[in-house]
Amino acid sequence: MATFEVTPIGTVHNDRTDVQHTDNWGAVRSTITVDERFGDAALQGLEGFSHVEVLFVFDQLPERDDYREPRPYRGRADLPPVGVFADRGPRRPNRIGVTCCAVESVRGRELTVVGLDAVSGTPVIDVKPVMVEFQAVGVEQPQWVSELMADYFKP
């Protein structure tokens, strides 16, 4: 299979540094500083959007050694085992994360968002405006996921 290289477009800056602290991201303010190679107008127009999708790399945790066997979500024995692509955790192939965040402000090469679940120093590989036409309708998930994730985006 072909491989490819991805160069970060920017970096996350916030008060979260503990990769083991995995809940309560809802009030986290993060500033994404876009690399100067994109110029000061790279974020122009984002101020008109309420939300962005941020794609980033879970660079502070290693990938798993083996993905073939389903594992309990978050390693919890009380939860059903799931395959790697039914899990949003950081120990995954290519370690890519994606989160939909509220746009708080856009200033030059700095984008401030609320609700990004990435620790300070995390490399950002892309930012995309959220458009209604791209949003899924009728999303369903198992009840255990709703219960497990109840505190994830709480302030």
Side-chain angles (χ1 to χ4, degrees), residues 134-154:
F134 281 89
Q135 298 305 295
V137 294
V139 174
E140 296 181 15
Q141 65 186 20
Q143 181 60 35
W144 64 265
V145 173
S146 298
E147 293 166 6
L148 174 70
M149 300 302 291
D151 292 332
Y152 194 79
F153 284 110
K154 274 192 177 176

Side-chain angles (χ1 to χ4, degrees), residues 11-129:
T11 306
V12 173
H13 306 280
N14 60 32
D15 293 333
R16 296 286 290 262
T17 58
D18 182 1
V19 294
Q20 301 303 322
H21 183 190
T22 58
D23 284 330
N24 305 103
W25 293 98
V28 174
R29 274 189 175 66
S30 299
T31 298
I32 298 167
T33 304
V34 174
D35 191 86
E36 61 187 20
R37 75 183 187 270
F38 297 105
D40 291 338
L43 300 172
Q44 184 175 327
L46 277 184
E47 67 280 353
F49 291 88
S50 64
H51 291 76
V52 291
E53 290 178 309
V54 179
L55 286 82
F56 55 94
V57 178
F58 291 112
D59 68 321
Q60 298 183 35
L61 291 170
E63 287 186 32
R64 290 190 341 209
D65 293 331
D66 186 357
Y67 294 106
R68 291 175 286 192
E69 291 297 320
R71 294 183 178 192
Y73 206 86
R74 286 193 177 181
R76 289 182 37 181
D78 61 323
L79 298 176
V82 295
V84 66
F85 298 114
D87 183 341
R88 291 184 61 105
R91 297 177 192 265
R92 56 185 310 102
N94 300 314
R95 301 179 298 168
I96 296 173
V98 60
T99 304
C100 182
C101 310
V103 173
E104 185 173 273
S105 66
V106 180
R107 289 187 191 93
R109 294 185 298 110
E110 292 187 345
L111 169 64
T112 300
V113 297
V114 177
L116 177 58
D117 55 342
V119 297
S120 196
T122 297
V124 174
I125 57 175
D126 205 355
V127 173
K128 296 176 180 283

